Amino acid sequence: MTAAAVRRFTGPVAAEADGGEPVRELLVTHTFLIGWLVRQALDAPERRWLGVNSHNAGLTVIRYGPAGPPTLVAFNDVAHLPSELRGTGLPADYLV
């Protein structure tokens, strides 16, 4: 599944033909795939995806431009959530 997600959701995409607007895609998935895609974007060793933990409903934005490496624009942003929901989904020792 990770190899298919990397093929489908990484790398630059062609702009839409009718206006040249950049393509933006929303991927809703679980923390493990987000960790893998972040690891891929940062060109980190494969074993590093295991330490990339995310909140439930945290937003991550990765930009794939036409030149240069991917840019991790935001990782695990939970500012859109009420404060009582911002700590869900992580191990208890992360919340100290």
Side-chain angles (χ1 to χ4, degrees):
M1 175 157 150
T2 57
V6 167
R7 282 191 303 277
R8 170 63 179 89
F9 295 108
T10 65
V13 295
E16 293 181 15
D18 61 350
E21 293 295 318
V23 175
R24 292 177 175 88
E25 294 184 285
L26 173 66
L27 173 63
V28 178
T29 188
H30 54 84
T31 190
F32 301 116
L33 186 54
I34 295 301
W36 188 262
L37 294 173
V38 167
R39 182 222 59 84
Q40 174 82 17
L42 297 176
D43 198 25
E46 289 186 3
R47 69 181 188 280
R48 294 300 296 149
W49 78 273
L50 290 169
V52 181
N53 295 309
S54 301
H55 289 286
N56 291 334
L59 300 175
T60 297
V61 178
I62 304 171
R63 181 177 189 276
Y64 293 92
T71 301
L72 186 60
V73 176
F75 173 71
N76 199 29
D77 181 354
V78 292
H80 61 286
L81 298 173
S83 60
E84 65 271 12
L85 295 178
R86 292 183 186 171
T88 62
L90 291 177
D93 61 340
Y94 276 51
L95 305 176
V96 177

